[in-house]
Amino acid sequence: MADISVVLVENGHRELADWLTDDLSRVELYSHLDVRWLTPRNQDAFRAAAGTAYERVRQTTPDGRFNPVAWESYLALFENLVRQIEWEAQGKVPDQWPNLTSIGAHDGERDGPGWGPA
């Protein structure tokens, strides 16, 4: 989430970036994010930032902090996320995505900044 969060901050979405990277957020604790939890504005911001962040990361090389195999795996996962966002924009549903077989209907759960008081 760090790479996406940098872009979110640049695009004026600091509150979302902070929430995504907070040590106590569900995203950090469980390594899981269902974008449908977010407000519509934050969903759009996340999707846009993910594409920009992926393009930036793809054009860099590991600087010694990463094992080359781990770096390639990271890039593959990041590309997969961006591809899923693109498929969603095309109207494809999760059961058509070969790597996501257990995504259910959204239960209406809300999380993240912008929803107002609970």
Side-chain angles (χ1 to χ4, degrees):
M1 287 299 157
D3 292 308
I4 294 171
S5 292
V6 168
V7 176
L8 285 167
V9 170
E10 291 170 359
N11 292 345
H13 300 280
R14 178 174 293 282
E15 188 177 16
L16 177 58
D18 290 347
W19 179 79
L20 288 169
T21 57
D22 186 288
D23 289 341
L24 298 178
S25 77
R26 282 200 301 192
V27 178
E28 287 296 314
L29 290 172
Y30 304 111
S31 298
H32 175 76
L33 172 66
D34 187 332
V35 175
R36 298 173 296 181
W37 296 337
L38 304 175
T39 65
R41 180 175 182 264
N42 283 337
Q43 289 178 28
D44 292 344
F46 179 86
R47 290 177 182 121
T52 300
Y54 172 69
E55 287 304 317
R56 287 183 186 174
V57 168
R58 192 173 65 81
Q59 295 174 17
T60 63
T61 57
D63 58 7
R65 296 178 295 159
F66 300 98
N67 170 312
V69 173
W71 181 254
E72 291 303 316
S73 295
Y74 176 68
L75 287 177
L77 287 170
F78 212 150
E79 179 182 22
N80 193 9
L81 171 66
V82 171
R83 188 177 308 125
Q84 290 170 23
I85 290 169
E86 291 169 353
W87 289 342
E88 179 195 29
Q90 296 167 6
K92 295 182 180 181
V93 294
D95 64 1
Q96 297 171 323
W97 302 351
N99 63 323
L100 296 175
T101 58
S102 64
I103 302 291
H106 185 244
D107 61 5
E109 183 172 354
R110 295 176 171 188
D111 203 353
W115 285 113

